[in-house]
Amino acid sequence: MKTIAFFIFSVCVFSYSHYVTFDHYGKDGVFTSKLHVHSQSKGTWNSLIKLTFEHGDYTSDIYIEGSGIDEMAIFRDNGKILNYSDGFYTVNSDLQVLQQAKVINLKEAELYTRLLFASKQKFNYTNKIIYEDRNVFILEIGKKKQIQMFIRQY
């Protein structure tokens, strides 16, 4: 009987610690990131990301406009944090296109076409936390190791 009680207690403690870990590292709340890119080969791009965390799940609205497309494109990424270990998040991503844009310069539209390609498949990827506190976190995102800073919105 003591073994069963100890097992049930252990499962409860594990479940609670798992919940607290996602709650702490998921940083529940709304964060934004703005990025401006200007290069000769990729043109000029502006992006705004609104990221909402809630108990290990996230929703990210991505607004991009650039010299390779004719208007603003909007994407939504609904995902789940699968794992957190030693500063690395593994997330499951389901990217959807909410508003498409017309490609006017294929060479300069690489960022947009990569997002379009990603929206056709579900995938897992890993982000590395470079810095974090209560109001700011900086991530190294995906295989291309793009650096992005997110700031809490109140």
Side-chain angles (χ1 to χ4, degrees), residues 41-116:
S41 62
K42 296 183 182 186
T44 302
W45 286 87
N46 295 304
S47 71
L48 171 68
I49 300 173
K50 179 183 173 191
L51 181 61
T52 305
F53 283 110
E54 188 172 331
H55 300 295
D57 294 330
Y58 71 89
T59 301
S60 177
D61 293 324
I62 304 162
Y63 305 88
I64 63 167
E65 61 181 4
S67 51
I69 57 178
D70 68 339
E71 61 184 4
M72 181 179 289
I74 304 172
F75 295 85
R76 175 164 292 147
D77 185 10
N78 293 307
K80 184 169 208 57
I81 299 171
L82 301 176
N83 189 13
Y84 174 80
S85 177
D86 297 325
F88 289 89
Y89 282 102
T90 301
V91 292
N92 178 277
S93 174
D94 181 17
L95 188 65
Q96 304 163 0
V97 180
L98 298 181
Q99 178 177 311
Q100 281 191 316
K102 181 179 174 187
V103 175
I104 55 175
N105 183 335
L106 189 59
K107 181 180 175 185
E108 292 180 345
E110 178 187 350
L111 174 63
Y112 174 69
T113 55
R114 276 191 293 159
L115 286 170
L116 277 178

Side-chain angles (χ1 to χ4, degrees), residues 9 18 30-32 44 48 57 80 104 109 135 141 152:
F9 176 74
H18 195 64
V30 178
F31 295 81
T32 59
T44 302
L48 171 68
D57 294 330
K80 184 169 208 57
I104 55 175
N135 297 313
I141 301 172
R152 181 181 296 276

Side-chain angles (χ1 to χ4, degrees), residues 101-144:
K102 181 179 174 187
V103 175
I104 55 175
N105 183 335
L106 189 59
K107 181 180 175 185
E108 292 180 345
E110 178 187 350
L111 174 63
Y112 174 69
T113 55
R114 276 191 293 159
L115 286 170
L116 277 178
F117 177 73
S119 72
K120 302 297 181 196
Q121 55 193 344
K122 291 183 181 181
F123 57 93
N124 294 344
Y125 62 95
T126 302
N127 298 326
K128 178 181 178 184
I129 298 175
I130 296 173
Y131 173 81
E132 72 173 323
D133 65 24
R134 180 164 163 47
N135 297 313
V136 174
F137 63 96
I138 301 173
L139 295 177
E140 183 178 272
I141 301 172
K143 293 178 183 177
K144 295 205 176 234

Side-chain angles (χ1 to χ4, degrees), residues 8-21:
I8 291 172
F9 176 74
S10 298
V11 168
C12 291
V13 168
F14 174 77
S15 298
Y16 178 74
S17 67
H18 195 64
Y19 173 80
V20 168
T21 299

